[in-house]
Amino acid sequence: MTLQPNWSPIFRGERVTLKCEIHGGGGTKWTYEWRTTKRNSATFSEYRTIRADSDSYSSEKPRAKLTPEETIIPAGGSITLTCCVPSSAEWKFDWFRQKSWDHAAQSIRNNETDGFLRVSEGGIYSCRGGRGDPVFYTESSNKVSVRKTGELLPVLSVSPSWLSPGPSVTLSCEVEPQSAGWRFFWYKAVPDLLTRSYSFKLLTDITNRTELNSYILHGQNHTAGYVCGAGREDPVDFTAYSKLKFIWSADPHPAASLSVSPDRVQHFNSDSVSLSCEGNSAEWRVKWITETDSLYDCFYIGNMNRATCSVNMDWYHSGVYWCESGSGHFSNSVNITVQKDINGIILVSPVHPVTEGDPVSLSCRDKEQKLLSNVFFYHNNKLIHNDGREELNISAVSKSDEGFYKCEHSGKESPQSWMAVRVPLTSPVSSSLPVLLIFGPVIGLILIILLMLLCCCRRSKGETFS
């Protein structure tokens, strides 16, 4: 039996032709029976064309991968984009370009025999592979944004970047040169798990405020990403979009949540750490942004199995981690710090904010996870206790205990980590306030009526008041 086309692997949905050849059979007519793991079928033809749809001989539909040589086009020059389909061959490639994130992708090249494209124009590029007859297409690749040198690039800033109950968040968009006539547009990031990227949704509720280069978010209570764009003239001539900026929430009880095991902020180089996503979604990915503002997901730094990302920590893995779902949900965020010194020590402190009034215990450990004694603890770089102890125990934590902590042992210092203290939204005082507001005036009115009745009674008896 021979296979045409003879490539491997065969992906689910592709069509292939099988040919059964009988050597030395002369002119005898043969009846052919084609057998799969599921059924038999009789035919008189020595050929059979099938569509690969069985798990026994097909793999999942592949996704093309797009890699840029650079993301900034030099003045008067060009850059090379490379499209490939991993672990397979004989593909031809289609290329697409978007002017901006909210524009539809336009086809620019089709049926190219190699996976290289030279571009001299800015935009958002993607590709896909195709092979066979009829053509079987891969999933579209990840999207890559490129721009020309000297192009205007807005700079987005967010303040504050970490959420706390109550305060609003301000988005600010700056464009050089700062001149009149700019209009500003604000977009929220929507996770796209298939392309390992984001699409951007225009915040349509602020269309009347686009002349302002800042926007205030009210009621923001969860992690989210934003970009801004700027334009002027009519029709609007857009700049490129700003770099994606995140607002993080440490709330451990949002619609989606991230848990860390071992449950601590600091880890040693090469430690095995599991980050698990929970919430109302079938698909998850763990995202990570470094201290230098580079954005990654678990696909690049570890192994994502269902809803858990397993990572062997390295020195450059320090940063902020969170979960994103295929339905667009973001989890709480956690700060993770990796001890770069193999002979150093770490502070064991809670990953999530602690609730005011709860007990908290901090300790210090070495590479062998040994609990150290004769340890000195610091709060905001101020020595708390100078007696040396094994643990720092706070029986009832308060908001004043919030801040940076580190430990010291035998001349070695751990990195410092922030311990957040969450104040409950309701307290005995605040919860009794509505009762007083409602019943206080009623009680006062009753007292006035009783006093008036008493006066009337006394007057009726001939009593006077001086």
Side-chain angles (χ1 to χ4, degrees):
M1 186 176 69
T2 59
L3 175 68
Q4 291 294 330
N6 187 19
W7 51 48
S8 180
I10 299 170
F11 295 100
R12 185 174 301 171
E14 287 192 283
R15 291 188 178 275
V16 293
T17 299
L18 305 174
K19 180 180 180 182
C20 190
E21 296 179 333
I22 301 175
H23 300 284
T28 306
K29 287 190 174 182
W30 293 90
T31 298
Y32 298 87
E33 183 179 281
W34 295 93
R35 183 185 300 248
T36 70
T37 57
K38 293 182 178 179
R39 61 186 180 277
N40 299 339
S41 59
T43 177
F44 291 99
S45 173
E46 62 183 303
Y47 296 94
R48 186 179 182 197
T49 299
I50 62 172
R51 182 176 181 271
D53 58 2
S54 169
D55 292 337
S56 61
Y57 54 77
S58 65
S59 301
E60 292 293 339
K61 192 173 185 179
R63 178 173 300 282
K65 181 179 180 181
L66 180 59
T67 306
E69 174 188 25
E70 297 284 348
T71 57
I72 299 178
I73 303 171
S78 61
I79 62 171
T80 299
L81 304 178
T82 303
C83 187
C84 69
V85 182
S87 305
S88 55
E90 300 190 33
W91 296 95
K92 294 183 179 180
F93 298 93
D94 299 337
W95 293 89
F96 304 89
R97 176 181 176 270
Q98 295 171 244
K99 182 178 179 181
S100 63
W101 290 105
D102 53 352
H103 282 70
Q106 302 294 323
S107 174
I108 55 175
R109 295 280 184 86
N110 289 311
N111 213 30
E112 297 288 312
T113 55
D114 60 44
F116 303 100
L117 179 69
R118 296 289 295 181
V119 297
S120 57
E121 187 176 14
I124 302 163
Y125 291 86
S126 59
C127 66
R128 71 179 179 186
R131 67 181 184 184
D133 185 17
V135 179
F136 169 79
Y137 291 107
T138 67
E139 298 281 2
S140 294
S141 72
N142 54 302
K143 296 181 179 182
V144 171
S145 178
V146 300
R147 62 185 178 90
K148 294 182 178 180
T149 298
E151 191 173 79
L152 288 168
L153 186 62
V155 177
L156 177 65
S157 60
V158 298
S159 180
S161 57
W162 281 93
L163 295 173
S164 58
S168 57
V169 176
T170 300
L171 308 179
S172 299
C173 195
E174 299 293 336
V175 180
E176 295 293 343
Q178 294 182 355
S179 56
W182 287 108
R183 298 174 63 200
F184 297 90
F185 301 84
W186 311 91
Y187 301 81
K188 186 174 183 178
V190 179
D192 186 341
L193 270 60
L194 291 177
T195 61
R196 302 188 186 278
S197 60
Y198 297 93
S199 59
F200 296 107
K201 182 180 180 181
L202 183 66
L203 299 181
T204 54
D205 59 322
I206 57 172
T207 52
N208 294 329
R209 303 185 61 184
T210 53
E211 291 79 12
L212 301 177
N213 72 334
S214 64
Y215 175 65
I216 298 177
L217 295 168
H218 297 286
Q220 183 76 20
N221 56 12
H222 62 273
T223 297
Y226 294 90
V227 298
C228 70
R232 56 184 175 184
E233 308 300 335
D234 190 12
V236 175
D237 180 23
F238 284 96
T239 65
Y241 288 84
S242 70
K243 191 172 182 179
L244 181 62
K245 286 287 186 179
F246 285 91
I247 300 166
W248 293 297
S249 169
D251 183 0
H253 303 294
S257 63
L258 170 65
S259 59
V260 181
S261 179
D263 187 15
R264 62 175 188 254
V265 174
Q266 297 184 14
H267 302 270
F268 284 102
N269 193 33
S270 77
D271 275 357
S272 179
V273 177
S274 294
L275 303 110
S276 299
C277 307
E278 295 181 3
N280 187 22
S281 180
E283 294 182 287
W284 292 100
R285 69 178 175 194
V286 172
K287 297 291 289 185
W288 160 56
I289 194 165
T290 68
E291 294 172 331
T292 57
D293 224 21
S294 297
L295 183 64
Y296 297 93
D297 67 24
C298 185
F299 174 77
Y300 296 101
I301 65 170
N303 177 38
M304 192 77 192
N305 183 13
R306 298 176 67 87
T308 299
C309 176
S310 301
V311 183
N312 288 325
M313 286 293 170
D314 211 332
W315 63 268
Y316 58 89
H317 285 163
S318 294
V320 181
Y321 290 74
W322 67 93
C323 298
E324 296 174 353
S325 74
S327 55
H329 290 109
F330 289 80
S331 77
N332 59 299
S333 303
V334 299
N335 242 322
I336 288 181
T337 302
V338 179
Q339 169 60 278
K340 300 177 183 179
D341 184 359
I342 193 172
N343 296 314
I345 59 175
I346 63 170
L347 173 73
V348 178
S349 61
V351 170
H352 301 298
V354 293
T355 303
E356 190 174 44
D358 285 354
V360 175
S361 179
L362 306 181
S363 61
C364 209
R365 295 182 184 267
D366 61 13
K367 179 67 175 177
E368 284 71 39
Q369 303 300 318
K370 177 184 175 184
L371 183 64
L372 302 175
S373 57
N374 297 320
V375 174
F376 300 98
F377 293 92
Y378 294 82
H379 178 214
N380 294 330
N381 286 320
K382 182 180 179 180
L383 180 63
I384 310 174
H385 298 286
N386 59 7
D387 53 353
R389 55 181 63 194
E390 192 174 77
E391 292 182 319
L392 173 63
N393 295 308
I394 306 174
S395 58
V397 70
S398 65
K399 193 65 177 176
S400 62
D401 294 314
E402 187 173 74
F404 286 101
Y405 286 83
K406 65 181 178 180
C407 61
E408 179 187 356
H409 176 263
S410 299
K412 297 178 180 178
E413 282 191 358
S414 73
Q416 65 175 4
S417 290
W418 180 267
M419 186 179 77
V421 177
R422 186 163 58 96
V423 179
L425 295 179
T426 59
S427 63
V429 174
S430 61
S431 61
S432 63
L433 183 60
V435 176
L436 292 176
L437 290 175
I438 294 172
F439 291 101
V442 176
I443 295 172
L445 182 61
I446 292 173
L447 290 174
I448 293 172
I449 293 173
L450 289 175
L451 183 60
M452 292 176 65
L453 289 173
L454 181 60
C455 291
C456 290
C457 290
R458 288 185 175 181
R459 284 197 180 101
S460 64
K461 293 180 180 181
E463 297 182 7
T464 59
F465 295 88
S466 56

